[in-house]
Amino acid sequence: EDQVTQSPEALRLQEGESSSLNCSYTVSGLRGLFWYRQDPGKGPEFLFTLYSAGEEKEKERLKATLTKKESFLHITAPKPEDSATYLCAVIRDTGFQKLVFGTGTRLLVSP
Amino acid sequence: NAGVTQTPKFQVLKTGQSMTLQCAQDMNHEYMSWYRQDPGMGLRLIHYSVGAGITDQGEVPNGYNVSRSTTEDFPLRLLSAAPSQTSVYFCASSTQQGGYEQYFGPGTRLTVT
């Protein structure tokens, strides 16, 4: 059974304090791994897609990396506006590409 | 482009009532999905569609019906609401050409009393 586990559940950082969020996955035939940002009361907002081990994607202060077992979302010098829940999801390489989501990491960045 | 839109934003139902959650997208995406989000459980797939006239069940389909008569619209019907269906519901769309990343609507918060 496909499984996605995110850690930590919650993370509190000071502004400028860099850190990483982890997403470990178990899926046969990975087609892609996705990172989303979700603000309270809103739908998930797409950030990155990673397709193969070794791949990296960057967007402003965020950088996503992928290995054969896990993905990291590195946050460099975060700002309070980076506070959100970050969701990881995977898609299998069979049939309709159903997303399997982790439960997310709640990030709070204090000024 | 409005992207993915959902109505209503909030809804309160009594046990046994029925209702339809509306979802529309204007991106000409062939894939559309419905998810529910519950605390501590992540987003779970209810039903999905790979094109007009084609739907299938996801992980938690019981108590819900869908149909897709057009590319743009994908309504979710609750046949007889139960307190266990209290949740936040998200509609999403995607396209094979876009790399399968799904674009989500703003959600509908449903409470069943």
Side-chain angles (χ1 to χ4, degrees):
Chain A
E1 183 180 320
D2 300 341
Q3 211 163 11
V4 177
T5 304
Q6 292 188 245
S7 62
E9 286 188 16
L11 181 63
R12 174 170 280 189
L13 299 174
Q14 291 294 120
E15 185 171 2
E17 179 187 2
S18 301
S19 187
S20 296
L21 313 182
N22 178 263
C23 170
S24 61
Y25 62 91
T26 305
V27 60
S28 56
L30 178 73
R31 169 63 69 92
L33 184 143
F34 302 84
W35 282 99
Y36 286 85
R37 169 192 170 124
Q38 187 174 24
D39 293 299
K42 296 190 175 181
E45 175 189 346
F46 170 75
L47 291 174
F48 303 109
T49 308
L50 302 167
Y51 293 104
S52 57
E55 189 174 0
E56 299 181 351
K57 294 269 180 79
E58 285 190 67
K59 180 180 180 180
E60 295 179 359
R61 295 175 292 283
L62 300 177
K63 178 180 176 181
T65 62
L66 181 64
T67 72
K68 289 187 178 180
K69 293 184 179 180
E70 58 192 349
S71 177
F72 292 94
L73 185 65
H74 307 278
I75 304 176
T76 302
K79 298 182 178 182
E81 53 262 42
D82 295 321
S83 298
T85 296
Y86 290 86
L87 303 172
C88 172
V90 297
I91 271 184
R92 297 181 74 190
D93 192 16
T94 54
F96 171 69
Q97 283 71 19
K98 307 175 191 179
L99 282 174
V100 177
F101 279 87
T103 54
T105 294
R106 293 189 314 276
L107 174 67
L108 177 63
V109 182
S110 304
Chain B
N1 282 358
V4 180
T5 58
Q6 292 182 239
T7 57
K9 192 160 180 62
F10 300 97
Q11 183 70 49
V12 178
L13 290 179
K14 294 187 187 303
T15 298
Q17 287 184 319
S18 62
M19 78 159 296
T20 299
L21 279 61
Q22 301 292 344
C23 173
Q25 54 95 4
D26 61 0
M27 298 174 282
N28 202 33
H29 286 173
E30 65 269 33
Y31 302 140
M32 294 187 76
S33 306
W34 276 102
Y35 294 85
R36 59 179 289 174
Q37 187 173 40
D38 302 292
M41 302 201 68
L43 284 148
R44 292 180 293 168
L45 183 65
I46 303 171
H47 284 286
Y48 65 95
S49 170
V50 299
I54 306 170
T55 64
D56 205 346
Q57 296 181 351
E59 181 184 356
V60 288
N62 292 341
Y64 308 95
N65 269 3
V66 292
S67 61
R68 188 147 176 227
S69 56
T70 68
T71 300
E72 296 77 21
D73 299 299
F74 191 43
L76 178 72
R77 298 181 187 85
L78 279 70
L79 308 173
S80 178
S84 61
Q85 294 178 304
T86 293
S87 187
V88 182
Y89 291 85
F90 291 100
C91 179
S93 73
S94 60
T95 176
Q96 181 175 351
Q97 292 181 340
Y100 301 110
E101 52 258 24
Q102 298 197 9
Y103 295 90
F104 286 81
T108 294
R109 183 173 293 275
L110 175 67
T111 301
V112 183
T113 61

